[in-house]
Amino acid sequence: MAATTPRVLRLLALLQDRAYTGRELADRLEITERTVRNDISRLRELGYPVHAERGAIGGYRLGRGATMPPLLLDDEEAVAVALSIAVAHDGSLAVSDIGDQLTRALRKIEQILPKRLQRKVSALRDATEIGPATTGSREPDAPVAAGILTTLADAVRRTTAVTVETADGTAELEPYRLINWQRRWYLVAYSMRTHDWTALPAAGIARAEAGARVFAPRTLPHDDLVAFVMRHIASTGWRVHARVTVLESAETVIARINPAVGVVEPVDEHSCVLLTGADAMETIAIYLSMLMMDFRVDGPPELVAHLRTLARRYTESVAG
């Protein structure tokens, strides 16, 4: 029979998952039902609100209490919580008055994490930069498996090459930085297949495998890797793209838009070309309306047709 303290902790871990009958708990812990009852009493003395219900679907379950007792997490849960807090603390969670609480919570979790798990959390936090805050329309989330992120972050930390599998095939990359922007992840890396820099959407990585080759750091493509990713997204990172002539100076437009909305190329003192994109044509139309400037769409034809439809609807909405 397991010693009392480890056994009670195992019992607590089970009850945090779902409700169990006394017989189920006894079988799982290899003890008697009487010992289960005694251990339940110990948990209650420690402040855990364990409820007991009779009947065919009854059993023991962990309820809500008046205070917050200690919480048991398995390895994957602990890493998930720590990573979420770390990313939120860097600014991706738009809540203004919880910074101190996040810092304290992260410090408590990291203090008790085993070193093998602590390295995963620290590597991802140290390898990540947060993109600029945005207002208005936001693109749909593009979730990434935690295992892929931690593999990439560890490769960044150790400056080792990583092999990734995407829709374009398999490639060996030299990873330099992870950028988190609008709840999306991008990997800044040097591709050994194209021999060029890339800002790879991490959501498109089906598999990431750390290699043994240690690489010497190259000269970065930009002093600001967040700006590099923003420009890459604007020019190549969307499903649909558009070319728009804006009847204002390039300086005026650059000051108005988010870096990821588009690349601005000056034409003359009073006009410039905006190369922009999004995951849907409707989103580009929203971006253009938020410019609050006169513009002319050069392409694609689908965007021109969509704007004509919007113009008709807006006109008819105020007619008469």
Side-chain angles (χ1 to χ4, degrees), residues 54 242 244:
R54 298 182 180 276
V244 180

Side-chain angles (χ1 to χ4, degrees), residues 198-216:
T198 182
L200 184 67
I205 300 176
R207 181 180 63 86
E209 182 177 339
R213 182 174 68 86
V214 178
F215 61 87

